[in-house]
Amino acid sequence: MRKTIILTLASLLLLTGCGVQAKKTTQSTKSTKEATITNVKPTTEKIIQGATQTWTFGKRVGSQQTTKGVSEQLTISPTTRSDAQINWTTGQGQISGNTVVYNQVSFKTWSRKTRQSVTKEGQDDLHFMSVTQINQTLKKLGANFKIGSLNDLIYLETKTKTMVLPEAVIAKDDHLYTINIEYITTDHTQTLERGEVFNSTATQ
């Protein structure tokens, strides 16, 4: 009887140990996966440096903007591919929209130039999207990754350095995403474009 009890206790301890180890393994795997998918800027850079490919409009999402801020309720826009005004091209170290080639700039440079384009009186009305808001937009567009900071995105300016684009770019697999970063406080409700996804023509 005593031998049976000892064997039973040993079995329970073994099962408990296996359970703890399995849990640790799962947590470790989850952690690794999250670390990989949030570090997506190098993936975008690799796509820009790679073979030339064209990206066509997929869908657009927007939300309401009021005096209280930007709504978290994102909706798919009825915009179709024929309505979209831009196609993107990447490759050979360049990125262009409708044949206009852009230079990459840092978030620090982009934010400084964006603020410089606004009057002194309008500075308090200019806002940048938060990481959480950007990740909400990416999720609604179907992305399977998140960003960890605003520096994870690619910011663009014209080659003449006279204007920075209001949206930032990020790409993974067969999709390129443009995310609107800035918005201006308004005294009335309006629809704000939050972002778009473009699909690589190489897979269509």
Side-chain angles (χ1 to χ4, degrees):
M1 183 68 164
R2 185 178 178 184
K3 185 176 180 181
T4 303
I5 293 173
I6 291 172
L7 288 173
T8 302
L9 287 173
S11 298
L12 286 172
L13 287 172
L14 181 62
L15 289 172
T16 302
C18 290
V20 170
Q21 183 61 38
K23 186 176 181 181
K24 285 182 179 178
T25 302
T26 302
Q27 289 175 340
S28 175
T29 303
K30 184 179 180 182
S31 237
T32 303
K33 184 178 180 183
E34 288 176 351
T36 301
I37 63 176
T38 55
N39 189 23
V40 74
K41 186 172 183 177
T43 302
T44 308
E45 294 281 10
K46 186 176 180 180
I47 288 173
I48 293 173
Q49 294 296 328
T52 300
Q53 57 181 315
T54 301
W55 310 79
T56 58
F57 177 80
K59 61 184 174 183
R60 175 185 296 165
V61 300
S63 67
Q64 292 298 304
Q65 178 186 346
T66 69
T67 53
K68 296 181 180 179
V70 179
S71 170
E72 295 182 4
Q73 299 298 316
L74 295 169
T75 57
I76 302 295
S77 167
T79 304
T80 63
R81 182 180 299 179
S82 59
D83 296 326
Q85 298 298 309
I86 191 169
N87 281 338
W88 291 92
T89 302
T90 58
Q92 312 304 317
Q94 292 187 333
I95 180 167
S96 61
N98 284 358
T99 72
V100 178
V101 180
Y102 296 102
N103 291 326
Q104 295 182 44
V105 294
S106 66
F107 171 68
K108 183 178 180 180
T109 298
W110 177 88
S111 58
R112 174 175 55 80
K113 290 191 172 185
T114 297
R115 290 201 176 279
Q116 287 176 345
S117 67
V118 178
T119 63
K120 185 177 180 180
E121 295 75 16
Q123 289 293 326
D124 290 340
D125 295 327
L126 175 65
H127 306 281
F128 297 151
M129 292 288 179
S130 67
V131 170
T132 298
Q133 289 172 322
I134 292 170
N135 283 332
Q136 289 171 340
T137 300
L138 286 168
K139 182 178 180 180
K140 190 68 175 180
L141 288 170
N144 62 355
F145 62 88
K146 296 179 180 180
I147 65 166
S149 78
L150 294 178
N151 290 308
D152 290 343
L153 303 171
I154 300 292
Y155 299 89
L156 305 170
E157 70 175 357
T158 56
K159 294 206 78 170
T160 56
K161 300 184 178 181
T162 55
M163 182 185 72
V164 290
L165 271 64
E167 65 267 6
V169 175
I170 194 165
K172 186 173 185 290
D173 299 328
D174 302 323
H175 305 292
L176 181 143
Y177 306 85
T178 59
I179 307 297
N180 289 330
I181 305 298
E182 63 175 278
Y183 65 96
I184 303 293
T185 300
T186 63
D187 56 4
H188 60 278
T189 301
Q190 65 179 19
T191 299
L192 177 69
E193 291 183 12
R194 298 284 293 271
E196 298 177 329
V197 60
F198 296 78
N199 305 314
S200 172
T201 56
T203 61
Q204 296 178 12

